[in-house]
Amino acid sequence: MYVYQLTHVRGVEIKVIGYFGSWKKAQQVMKKYRSQVQGFKDYPRCFKIKKLRVNQDDFYYG
């Protein structure tokens, strides 16, 4: 099972907007933020959607 993490990354500032059950839902929310939400619509190219597997250890041991 997967979830989709929507973030807004501008420089070193990372804002996690939410986690969604489908890619389509994450895209819908991203489009809303790009067009309507102050502070986000000024930087529409800073959004990222990342597919994450649920219940998986994702820590990198360097």
Side-chain angles (χ1 to χ4, degrees), residues 19-33:
Y19 295 88
F20 303 93
S22 71
W23 182 272
K24 183 177 179 178
K25 181 62 179 174
Q27 284 184 315
Q28 289 172 343
V29 173
M30 179 179 65
K31 287 178 184 178
K32 178 182 118 181
Y33 273 69

Side-chain angles (χ1 to χ4, degrees), residues 9-27:
V9 181
R10 191 170 145 234
V12 296
E13 186 178 356
I14 300 170
K15 294 179 181 175
V16 176
I17 295 170
Y19 295 88
F20 303 93
S22 71
W23 182 272
K24 183 177 179 178
K25 181 62 179 174
Q27 284 184 315

Side-chain angles (χ1 to χ4, degrees), residues 6-8 15-18 20 25-44 47:
L6 176 59
T7 58
H8 190 263
K15 294 179 181 175
V16 176
I17 295 170
F20 303 93
K25 181 62 179 174
Q27 284 184 315
Q28 289 172 343
V29 173
M30 179 179 65
K31 287 178 184 178
K32 178 182 118 181
Y33 273 69
R34 277 184 173 169
S35 64
Q36 298 175 10
V37 180
Q38 191 66 29
F40 293 96
K41 67 181 183 177
D42 299 329
Y43 303 94
F47 288 93

